[in-house]
């Protein structure tokens, strides 16, 4: 299972647009936060990494991190895209007011795996680079913009962006 290259400037298929429209609904968000995390890992494994690409959906891959406190291996599926050779991941947590647990794992232990490939994660701090990458992220999944607007409306957190560089 190799990591598929996700070009944020690529024209999307109709199936992709439909999957994004669904994901941005209330039901879609519920599915993405509570059901997909249980189903996606299984589908990814039984299709040898071809899911969700074979369905024309927003691509995700397993991100394996080391627990910030436990030191144990953790896995979660995340949406990603590429900026040049580097995958970019957004710690949006569905627009929730707190960061996802994997954010803290990457901060404590930046060595990780995405789609079976080894990387080192670096959080983007530069405001211009952050804005550029977040713009690209919204091209991949428009819901990221929804989450950022939700956080801005309540004076909430800045959604973290990570660049993964090959180890």
């Amino acid at each position: 299972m190799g990591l598929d290259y996700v070009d944020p400037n690529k024209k999307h298929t109709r199936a992709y647009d439909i999957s994004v429209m669904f994901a941005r609904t209330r039901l879609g968000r519920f599915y993405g936060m509570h059901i997909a995390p249980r189903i996606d890992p299984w589908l990814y494994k039984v299709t040898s990494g071809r899911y969700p690409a074979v369905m024309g959906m927003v691509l995700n891959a397993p991100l394996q991190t080391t627990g910030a406190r436990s030191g144990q291996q953790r896995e979660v599926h995340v949406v990603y895209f590429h900026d040049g050779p580097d995958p970019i991941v957004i710690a949006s947590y569905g627009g929730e007011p707190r960061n996802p647990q994997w954010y803290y794992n990457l901060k404590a232990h930046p060595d990780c795996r995405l789609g079976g490939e080894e990387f080192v994660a670096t959080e983007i701090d530069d405001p211009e680079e952050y804005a550029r990458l977040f713009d690209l992220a919204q091209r991949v999944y428009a819901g990221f913009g929804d989450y950022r607007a939700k956080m801005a409306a309540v004076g909430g957190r800045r959604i973290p962006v990570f660049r993964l560089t090959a180890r």
Side-chain angles (χ1 to χ4, degrees):
M1 290 186 259
L3 188 63
D4 288 331
Y5 188 87
V6 178
D7 180 355
N9 297 307
K10 180 181 174 186
K11 183 170 174 27
H12 301 303
T13 65
R14 183 72 179 139
Y16 189 97
D17 291 339
I18 290 169
S19 73
V20 168
M21 283 189 294
F22 171 71
R24 293 175 75 186
T25 67
R26 191 173 188 176
L27 178 60
R29 187 168 174 279
F30 177 84
Y31 175 84
M33 294 292 289
H34 302 286
I35 298 170
R38 300 172 197 278
I39 296 172
D40 284 358
W42 179 79
L43 287 172
Y44 191 87
K45 285 178 182 143
V46 300
T47 64
S48 299
R50 291 186 302 273
Y51 171 83
V54 295
M55 298 180 69
M57 297 167 58
V58 177
L59 288 186
N60 65 59
L63 175 66
Q64 297 167 328
T65 62
T66 301
R69 285 185 256 166
S70 70
Q72 295 182 3
Q73 292 299 302
R74 305 290 185 205
E75 183 175 294
V76 62
H77 276 244
V78 295
V79 172
Y80 70 95
F81 65 93
H82 284 83
D83 181 45
D86 301 331
I88 307 297
V89 294
I90 312 295
S92 66
Y93 201 41
E96 291 296 313
R98 62 189 185 283
N99 290 318
Q101 189 58 47
W102 62 262
Y103 165 83
Y104 302 103
N105 296 349
L106 286 182
K107 293 297 284 184
H109 306 284
D111 289 337
C112 63
R113 294 174 68 86
L114 181 67
E117 297 179 19
E118 295 185 1
F119 296 97
V120 176
T122 306
E123 186 173 1
I124 303 301
D125 293 324
D126 177 64
E128 290 178 12
E129 181 70 353
Y130 178 90
R132 184 182 74 78
L133 291 174
F134 209 94
D135 179 58
L136 292 176
Q138 291 176 105
R139 294 180 196 177
V140 172
Y141 174 59
F144 287 134
D146 299 343
Y147 303 154
R148 185 165 63 174
K150 181 180 173 183
M151 289 298 93
V154 297
R157 68 184 176 94
R158 175 179 179 253
I159 296 174
V161 175
F162 285 92
R163 176 179 297 279
L164 306 182
T165 52
R167 213 175 339 151

